Amino acid sequence: MRKKYFIAVLAVIFCCAIYSPANASDSEIAKTYLRRAMASRDNPQILLRMINEAKEYAACFPEYEFLQLEKCHKVGDFYNAEMYVKNMLAKRNKAFLLDSYDIDLQAAQTYHHLHFYKEALPFYKSAVAVTGRRTKDNYLTYLSCLFSSGISASGVLPVLREASALFSDSEIVFYQTLYSLKTATAYFGNPTDLIRQLENNGYLPQEIQYLKSFLVKNQNDLGKFVADLEQMQNVSAKWGRNIVYGLMERFTITDENILRNCLSLWKKYDGNSDVRTFRFLTY
């Protein structure tokens, strides 16, 4: 009788081992593969294989979306990025490898790339608030997003002040100069002196030209500035478009030659890839 009872108990244990809830078992397997995927982020082939091995159960964890978003950033494919970032944020409490800093920074950078600037700002704010993990690059992207969002000067100043206290180099001076130009103040110094400081330190000519575009005050200056811009070499598509679009925003251009030159520069700097193109052309 005892022997039969013992066999029955063993049978129950064996069945439980085989028929334990699939989700629990598969979730642990998915975690294992996601751990390997996170450790293989510099090897796309292994990364893809690990994600495929984890199968659909990987989607239970925000690490899955985090890896997909990293892939989007690397290849410049943001077609599904908004869906991935929303899912990652919805599942953030299930994270087993990532912490809040990783998730917030990924969300901020993704929204930033999608031009959803105001959506990105709270996540940048949260990321730079983590004292032990503050970096200059994070502040620079945060400041870039602040200026792109059209937020008021009072919203930019505290972040810029904080970044200036933590870091002192030309990239921070660039944003100090931009703030002074946009607000017509000398809070961080005279803008012309700041531009000269950047030039003396060998800062990027295309970004200095962007700052100088704010010093253009009339139609004659505008014509000369646009002509000089046409002669400049090694201006990236991004900064070229930023310069031209900023000029078009700030000026009502009545001179047909200047307008034609602006349109020519917009095309030269790959304006068709810019979300602002329609607004530019309706000008």
Side-chain angles (χ1 to χ4, degrees), residues 37-38 40-41 43-52 67:
M38 292 285 283
S40 308
R41 285 147 71 188
N43 190 321
Q45 289 181 326
I46 295 178
L47 174 62
L48 180 61
R49 182 184 166 194
M50 292 301 104
I51 289 176
N52 288 340
L67 290 167

Side-chain angles (χ1 to χ4, degrees):
M1 185 68 181
R2 285 183 180 177
K3 186 177 179 181
K4 288 182 179 178
Y5 178 76
F6 180 69
I7 292 172
V9 170
L10 285 178
V12 170
I13 293 172
F14 180 72
C15 289
C16 288
I18 293 178
Y19 297 108
S20 58
N23 285 348
S25 175
D26 289 334
S27 292
E28 289 307 312
I29 292 171
K31 281 185 179 181
T32 299
Y33 281 116
L34 284 170
R35 284 190 184 94
R36 293 175 183 173
M38 292 285 283
S40 308
R41 285 147 71 188
D42 294 330
N43 190 321
Q45 289 181 326
I46 295 178
L47 174 62
L48 180 61
R49 182 184 166 194
M50 292 301 104
I51 289 176
N52 288 340
E53 290 289 348
K55 298 181 180 175
E56 68 270 19
Y57 295 102
C60 296
F61 308 103
E63 282 77 6
Y64 171 77
E65 278 83 8
F66 182 89
L67 290 167
Q68 295 292 352
L69 287 167
E70 277 198 335
K71 179 184 173 183
C72 289
H73 284 274
K74 285 177 183 175
V75 301
D77 175 18
F78 289 95
Y79 182 74
N80 293 310
E82 187 178 2
M83 174 191 71
Y84 285 136
V85 76
K86 285 181 178 178
N87 288 344
M88 180 183 70
L89 292 169
K91 294 181 290 190
R92 66 184 302 158
N93 63 334
K94 295 182 180 177
F96 63 96
L97 291 174
L98 301 171
D99 59 19
S100 290
Y101 170 86
D102 296 317
I103 292 172
D104 286 334
L105 188 60
Q106 182 69 279
Q109 291 173 341
T110 302
Y111 280 131
H112 194 165
H113 276 283
L114 292 170
H115 303 285
F116 297 164
Y117 303 116
K118 290 185 178 176
E119 287 84 349
L121 292 178
F123 296 107
Y124 274 130
K125 183 177 182 179
S126 181
V128 299
V130 182
T131 307
R133 300 184 70 175
R134 288 172 168 173
T135 69
K136 183 186 72 176
D137 285 345
N138 288 353
Y139 271 102
L140 291 174
T141 51
Y142 188 9
L143 287 166
S144 170
C145 191
L146 279 164
F147 279 106
S148 298
S149 70
I151 198 169
S152 67
S154 61
V156 175
L157 186 56
V159 181
L160 184 51
R161 249 192 333 231
E162 192 173 87
S164 300
L166 292 169
F167 310 100
S168 56
D169 60 16
S170 293
E171 290 165 309
I172 299 297
V173 174
F174 169 84
Y175 283 108
Q176 291 174 344
T177 311
L178 184 58
Y179 177 86
S180 297
L181 288 165
K182 281 182 172 271
T183 59
T185 65
Y187 188 91
F188 294 99
N190 183 288
T192 305
D193 293 338
L194 291 171
I195 290 173
R196 192 176 298 116
Q197 178 184 333
L198 290 169
E199 288 177 321
N200 292 339
N201 289 335
Y203 196 63
L204 296 170
Q206 61 181 6
E207 296 183 37
I208 288 175
Q209 200 70 4
Y210 175 68
L211 294 173
K212 286 182 175 179
S213 71
F214 288 89
L215 298 174
V216 175
K217 299 299 181 187
N218 55 54
Q219 198 92 339
N220 289 334
D221 290 345
L222 177 62
K224 184 178 183 311
F225 183 89
V226 171
D228 290 344
L229 183 60
E230 286 182 305
Q231 302 305 313
M232 278 191 72
Q233 302 295 319
N234 303 319
V235 177
S236 70
K238 170 193 167 184
W239 284 103
R241 291 196 303 271
N242 284 345
I243 292 168
V244 175
Y245 190 81
L247 292 170
M248 298 287 281
E249 266 197 320
R250 292 190 295 277
F251 284 91
T252 300
I253 301 174
T254 56
D255 187 299
E256 287 188 17
N257 287 329
I258 297 175
L259 195 58
R260 193 179 299 112
N261 290 343
C262 284
L263 180 60
S264 173
L265 285 167
W266 188 255
K267 290 178 180 176
K268 175 183 175 181
Y269 296 125
D270 193 25
N272 287 339
S273 68
D274 196 294
V275 296
R276 300 171 294 185
T277 293
F278 178 76
R279 229 177 122 197
F280 180 88
L281 293 176
T282 56
Y283 184 95

